[in-house]
């Protein structure tokens, strides 16, 4: 599944267009490498997401095309969730 679609389906980012913009800005890494919106994800990949003053690191546990909102958090496991300053972004 594409990175931008996974971010939307998992509700880590609410809109796919926003997910695409964040990817293009270089604020998302997959397994330690900067990734474009079309990057193909696999179960077990580690996402490092820098949004605003928050840095979130998650492991992909499952990939589904659609999922109900109350089950979206089952698609990933949060490894780190921290507040950051602007200088700390990747």
């Amino acid at each position: 599944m594409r990175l931008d679609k996974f971010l939307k389906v998992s509700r880590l980012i609410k809109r796919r267009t926003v997910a695409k913009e964040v990817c293009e800005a270089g604020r998302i890494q997959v397994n330690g490498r900067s990734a474009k919106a079309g990057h193909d994800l696999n179960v077990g990949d580690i996402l490092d997401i820098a949004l605003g003053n928050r840095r979130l690191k998650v492991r992909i546990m499952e990939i589904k095309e659609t999922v109900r909102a109350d089950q979206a958090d089952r698609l990933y496991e949060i490894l780190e969730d921290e507040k950051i300053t602007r200088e700390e972004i990747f």
Side-chain angles (χ1 to χ4, degrees):
M1 174 181 290
R2 289 174 52 105
L3 174 57
D4 58 343
K5 185 168 183 182
F6 178 81
L7 292 169
K8 189 234 183 257
V9 170
S10 66
R11 285 148 177 102
L12 287 166
I13 297 179
K14 293 188 181 196
R15 286 186 232 121
R16 191 167 174 183
T17 54
V18 174
K20 186 176 179 183
E21 290 170 3
V22 172
C23 292
E24 289 174 357
R27 299 178 66 87
I28 298 185
Q29 293 183 348
V30 177
N31 298 325
R33 293 184 168 169
S34 186
K36 304 254 184 200
H39 184 87
D40 193 31
L41 295 176
N42 298 302
V43 172
D45 284 348
I46 305 291
L47 304 181
D48 204 340
I49 306 164
L51 285 174
N53 65 344
R54 184 175 177 209
R55 186 170 153 256
L56 187 64
K57 192 171 196 175
V58 299
R59 175 181 292 121
I60 298 174
M61 302 302 288
E62 193 174 353
I63 294 178
K64 290 187 175 183
E65 290 294 319
T66 59
V67 66
R68 292 189 346 221
D70 62 334
Q71 297 178 344
D73 62 349
R74 295 181 186 170
L75 298 179
Y76 58 89
E77 170 189 13
I78 296 175
L79 303 175
E80 293 178 29
D81 186 0
E82 62 186 356
K83 288 191 175 200
I84 58 173
T85 62
R86 202 168 217 27
E87 295 80 32
E88 293 177 307
I89 298 173
F90 304 126

